[in-house]
Amino acid sequence: MILILGGTGEARALAERVPAVSSLAGRVREPRLPVGEVRIGGFGGVSGLAQWLRDNDIHAVVDATHPFAAQITANAFEACQRVGVPFLVLRRPGFAPRDGWTWVGSVAEAAAALPGSRVFLTTGRQDLSAFAGCPQWFLARMVEPPEPPMPHRIEVLLSRGPFTVESELSLMRAHRIDVLVTKDSGGAMTSAKLDAAQELALPVVVVRRPPLPAGAEAVATVDEAVSWLGTAGA
Ligand code: NAP
């Protein structure tokens, strides 16, 4: 059996192409479920995952989690090495850089380098605390309601998208946004806000991706992951 570590559109697309069990972290109350078998919840760190791989006779693992889900990727890489199971990361390419973007190494760095006073924050619920001490006003968009700490001056917008350039333009205009903060998530679904920011000539702060574990094999497309699984004999 193949294990797909999920939580992304790519993971759902891969589950449509190969028989597999998909794993979700359980962060979202009503997740978009992949086809096929699904398990939900953490494994209990590296040793829990290694045991789970053995117990479930897993022959290959494709980590198709979000590019910023660094912990599960590190855990899965190590667990697969321990158990001797082939491991692949399926990670969509990042955004093509544009003029006027400020690249930072972390959300904390983004919080310290905001070139505006009305911020459209799209880094997600888990990273909100990094902006808690900021004096700016925030429009923060996320899927699930946030928990404190968070900025004092904030409007939370619960929404999962997909978004269009037109809807992003009217949202940014309506809230008089003067800076956009985003992770380098990549993917077409999340690029509408970048087009809208460019049209409005807004500064954009982009958080760089965390690195992959050294030595991890990675591909950028679902097609490549399907071929790799064929070669891995899974
Ligand atoms: P993370 O920080 O890398 O992982 C923290 C812990 O959550 C892991 O150690 C693991 O717990 C559990 N976990 C994470 N992904 C899992 C999965 N697919 N299946 C089972 N357990 C998982 O992860 P995260 O950034 O919180 O992301 C959680 C999920 O949301 C992922 O599936 C990711 O694809 C999705 N997501 C994340 C982002 C983001 O910006 N980070 C954005 C969109 C979607 P144990 O140690 O107990 O195994």
Side-chain angles (χ1 to χ4, degrees), residues 6-7 23-25 27 41-45 65-66 69-72 75 126 183:
S23 175
L24 302 177
R27 301 267 193 279
F43 296 95
T65 56
H66 190 271
Q71 186 62 59
I72 187 68
N75 289 0
Q126 293 186 83
K183 290 173 173 170

Side-chain angles (χ1 to χ4, degrees), residues 98-142:
R98 304 186 194 185
D99 289 344
W101 286 5
T102 302
W103 290 83
V104 294
S106 65
V107 283
E109 225 182 285
L114 289 172
S117 59
R118 298 183 62 84
V119 185
F120 184 22
L121 187 61
T122 62
T123 49
R125 174 178 55 136
Q126 293 186 83
D127 291 309
L128 203 50
S129 60
F131 298 87
C134 292
Q136 289 86 354
W137 180 88
F138 289 85
L139 174 66
R141 184 166 65 196
M142 59 200 69

Side-chain angles (χ1 to χ4, degrees), residues 16-101:
E16 283 178 12
R17 302 273 300 273
V18 293
V21 53
S22 294
S23 175
L24 302 177
R27 301 267 193 279
V28 179
R29 269 169 303 159
E30 288 177 25
R32 288 178 176 141
L33 287 175
V35 298
E37 197 181 326
V38 179
R39 67 159 303 284
I40 297 181
F43 296 95
V46 176
S47 42
L49 178 53
Q51 191 59 47
W52 195 94
L53 297 176
R54 283 192 204 97
D55 292 347
N56 290 275
D57 201 18
I58 299 298
H59 296 120
V61 174
V62 179
D63 177 350
T65 56
H66 190 271
F68 281 79
Q71 186 62 59
I72 187 68
T73 300
N75 289 0
F77 179 63
E78 198 180 328
C80 285
Q81 284 199 318
R82 267 194 210 173
V83 180
V85 168
F87 175 74
L88 180 75
V89 178
L90 166 55
R91 181 179 271 203
R92 61 187 174 228
F95 295 129
R98 304 186 194 185
D99 289 344
W101 286 5

